[in-house]
Amino acid sequence: MSPSDFRNYLEENFQISFNHLPLLQEALTQRNYLNEHPKEKGRDYQRLEFLGDAIMQATVTEYLFKRYPEWDEGQLTEMRITMVQTKSFAHFASVIHLNEAIRLGKGEEMNGARERPSLLEDIWEAFIGALYLDQGQAAVVSLLQQTVFAAIDENFFDQFIDFKSRLQEKLQAQGSVDIDYTIENEIRNEDNSQLFEVSVAVDGKVLAHGSGQSIKDAEKAAAQKAYQDLTAK
Amino acid sequence: MSPSDFRNYLEENFQISFNHLPLLQEALTQRNYLNEHPKEKGRDYQRLEFLGDAIMQATVTEYLFKRYPEWDEGQLTEMRITMVQTKSFAHFASVIHLNEAIRLGKGEEMNGARERPSLLEDIWEAFIGALYLDQGQAAVVSLLQQTVFAAIDENFFDQFIDFKSRLQEKLQAQGSVDIDYTIENEIRNEDNSQLFEVSVAVDGKVLAHGSGQSIKDAEKAAAQKAYQDLTAK
């Protein structure tokens, strides 16, 4: 997909009309592509990434600050760390098909850089920087409403949270306790897939159960349930 | 100075009319003050600091991005690190007399927290967060134009830069070299103050001279001159 095709795609799917195509192009251009195309004018994405990184951080911060008026700065910071990270930005870069529009050097293309999370994160930030310069803060917020912020309501970010560590921190805030995970049940399906049920107990008292296709997933589900029960109180 | 006096001070000196006094008050309130005044409603400054930290970072980033269109992301990042740091924010907090308006707990007051750089940094960020919510991005930019951005033109941030390290990195980028600082002259004034003149040489060739009231200051001045000569080329 060329930068110009990507511009049309943005218009049709996200109601974003990018004015200044060279700016969009810069956000989508990796350094080695320029080395291989010496007649091309313009820069690679790195200056725009410098800008977009700060714009993302500020926009997510303001959104969380206003959405959760009762949260303290610790809860807000925890949520922001979960949202503003490589895995998250790489995911949303693919959601809006940024990966297909990157202008990559041949060597990077061969090495699979087009799907590499660290590059997708950089390009996401560069694109946000370009969008901010081209259309202003409101367009950035509008795009994030349709992607990153909408994902909060779908509990998308739960997958990035280490609930076992969170539960442990919570339970041990007042001193040392014993936390045990026990496999309560194990089902093997006809297709050989498995389902585990795990309980989590603190000092012998069961707090919650969770299930999953691996022991690790079931433990995480139990920890998440216990953690959310404790913090909801 | 009460939050309300501080509001008047802002109006007279920086043309900022703060509308929502409770918001300004929140930015100026330290936790122990609230513990000691249980009848007070409202929060301490920490949520606003969470917001203002991100707003400062984004506003400085955008300013540098636009002011230095020829700089690459490395130069921009280096400059931002120098500007967005405890010593810098603590200085500007005092410049606008934020320190006089903080509502501190008695214990903190006794311990000198009112002039402690880490607290002044927090309060600066919280105040920027409050200003952003009350007056929007343009008011933040206007205040920074009168303080932080104006300081760039006065070379204010040079004092935070370790020019000896920068010069070394620059000179050794292509391989190992010998860098020597030599005291060339030493003057003792009638009041017993001293003035040193130092030269810096690389592989025996003198690059620059610098002077200062201590050997350390003179070395830094020489390194700064040499570094700036090299990067201006």
Side-chain angles (χ1 to χ4, degrees):
Chain A
M1 185 152 60
S2 72
S4 147
D5 289 343
F6 182 66
R7 176 163 69 171
N8 295 337
Y9 167 81
L10 284 176
E11 176 117 39
E12 281 162 28
N13 293 276
F14 296 96
Q15 295 76 52
I16 292 170
S17 320
F18 220 99
N19 288 325
H20 197 56
L21 190 61
L23 198 58
L24 181 56
Q25 203 156 297
E26 181 174 325
L28 293 168
T29 302
Q30 191 255 350
R31 192 183 54 211
N32 288 355
Y33 179 92
L34 291 180
N35 295 341
E36 293 168 12
H37 298 77
K39 286 180 191 164
E40 281 258 353
K41 286 171 193 169
R43 306 174 186 254
D44 68 24
Y45 66 75
Q46 293 188 83
R47 283 187 99 243
L48 288 170
E49 179 202 351
F50 169 80
L51 176 65
D53 166 69
I55 300 299
M56 270 307 291
Q57 182 85 2
T59 310
V60 171
T61 298
E62 182 177 0
Y63 179 81
L64 293 176
F65 183 93
K66 291 179 173 170
R67 174 164 173 163
Y68 300 108
E70 296 310 318
W71 283 13
D72 68 25
E73 63 288 352
Q75 294 167 295
L76 292 168
T77 302
E78 216 170 62
M79 184 70 180
R80 187 175 63 187
I81 288 170
T82 306
M83 294 173 70
V84 177
Q85 56 146 311
T86 307
K87 284 181 202 166
S88 163
F89 288 179
H91 169 79
F92 293 108
S94 295
V95 164
I96 69 167
H97 298 272
L98 266 175
N99 54 335
E100 298 170 27
I102 307 171
R103 306 202 302 169
L104 267 183
K106 278 177 195 156
E108 275 67 35
E109 189 73 83
M110 304 259 291
N111 290 328
R114 193 175 290 281
E115 304 304 330
R116 189 183 299 144
S118 59
L119 178 67
L120 293 178
E121 174 186 29
D122 290 352
I123 296 285
W124 171 268
E125 291 174 340
F127 170 66
I128 293 295
L131 180 60
Y132 178 82
L133 291 176
D134 193 74
Q135 301 279 312
Q137 175 73 359
V140 172
V141 172
S142 163
L143 177 67
L144 297 191
Q145 295 274 16
Q146 298 174 69
T147 53
V148 181
F149 300 156
I152 297 175
D153 297 311
E154 295 154 9
N155 300 316
F156 171 79
F157 298 104
D158 285 355
Q159 65 184 297
F160 302 143
I161 302 175
D162 180 353
F163 281 107
K164 286 181 72 173
S165 298
R166 288 237 183 133
L167 180 64
Q168 185 176 342
E169 281 163 26
K170 183 94 192 160
L171 290 171
Q172 298 194 334
Q174 312 297 330
S176 183
V177 291
D178 276 330
I179 303 170
D180 283 307
Y181 291 87
T182 310
I183 302 173
E184 302 283 358
N185 201 359
E186 181 179 343
I187 298 166
R188 185 177 291 258
N189 298 312
E190 281 181 16
D191 65 353
N192 273 332
S193 71
Q194 292 172 286
L195 189 72
F196 295 91
E197 193 189 312
V198 163
S199 67
V200 56
V202 57
D203 288 340
K205 189 190 157 216
V206 172
L207 291 184
H209 291 78
S211 57
Q213 294 192 334
S214 69
I215 297 173
K216 205 179 148 198
D217 284 352
E219 287 181 351
K220 183 178 171 179
Q224 180 171 358
K225 178 74 170 58
Y227 179 79
Q228 287 170 344
D229 286 351
L230 284 170
T231 48
K233 277 170 192 165
Chain B
M1 185 154 58
S2 72
S4 145
D5 290 342
F6 182 65
R7 176 163 70 170
N8 296 337
Y9 167 81
L10 284 176
E11 176 117 38
E12 282 162 27
N13 293 276
F14 296 95
Q15 296 75 54
I16 292 171
S17 321
F18 220 99
N19 288 323
H20 197 57
L21 190 61
L23 198 58
L24 181 57
Q25 202 156 297
E26 182 174 324
L28 294 168
T29 302
Q30 191 256 351
R31 192 182 56 212
N32 287 355
Y33 179 92
L34 291 180
N35 295 340
E36 292 169 12
H37 298 78
K39 286 180 191 164
E40 280 259 351
K41 287 171 190 166
R43 308 175 186 252
D44 67 24
Y45 65 75
Q46 293 189 82
R47 281 189 99 244
L48 287 170
E49 179 202 353
F50 169 79
L51 176 66
D53 166 66
I55 299 298
M56 271 307 289
Q57 182 85 2
T59 310
V60 171
T61 298
E62 183 178 358
Y63 179 81
L64 293 176
F65 183 93
K66 290 178 174 171
R67 173 163 174 164
Y68 300 108
E70 295 310 317
W71 283 13
D72 67 25
E73 63 287 353
Q75 293 166 297
L76 292 167
T77 302
E78 213 169 63
M79 185 69 182
R80 187 175 64 187
I81 289 170
T82 307
M83 293 172 71
V84 177
Q85 56 146 312
T86 307
K87 282 182 202 164
S88 162
F89 289 180
H91 168 79
F92 294 108
S94 295
V95 164
I96 68 167
H97 298 271
L98 265 175
N99 54 335
E100 296 170 29
I102 307 172
R103 306 201 303 168
L104 269 183
K106 278 177 196 158
E108 275 67 34
E109 189 74 84
M110 303 258 292
N111 290 327
R114 192 175 291 282
E115 305 302 332
R116 189 181 300 144
S118 58
L119 179 68
L120 294 179
E121 175 186 27
D122 290 352
I123 296 285
W124 170 268
E125 291 174 339
F127 170 67
I128 293 294
L131 181 59
Y132 178 82
L133 290 176
D134 194 74
Q135 301 279 313
Q137 175 73 359
V140 172
V141 172
S142 164
L143 177 66
L144 298 191
Q145 294 275 15
Q146 298 174 69
T147 53
V148 181
F149 301 156
I152 296 176
D153 297 312
E154 294 154 9
N155 300 317
F156 171 79
F157 298 104
D158 285 355
Q159 65 184 294
F160 302 142
I161 300 176
D162 179 353
F163 281 107
K164 286 181 73 174
S165 298
R166 288 236 183 136
L167 180 64
Q168 187 176 342
E169 281 163 27
K170 183 95 193 159
L171 290 171
Q172 298 193 335
Q174 313 297 331
S176 181
V177 292
D178 275 330
I179 304 170
D180 283 306
Y181 291 85
T182 309
I183 302 172
E184 301 282 359
N185 201 1
E186 183 179 342
I187 299 165
R188 184 177 293 260
N189 298 311
E190 280 180 19
D191 64 356
N192 272 333
S193 70
Q194 292 173 283
L195 188 71
F196 295 90
E197 192 190 314
V198 164
S199 65
V200 56
V202 57
D203 289 340
K205 189 189 157 216
V206 172
L207 291 184
H209 290 78
S211 57
Q213 294 192 335
S214 69
I215 296 172
K216 205 178 148 199
D217 285 352
E219 287 181 350
K220 182 178 171 180
Q224 178 170 358
K225 179 74 171 56
Y227 179 80
Q228 288 170 341
D229 286 351
L230 285 171
T231 48
K233 277 171 193 167

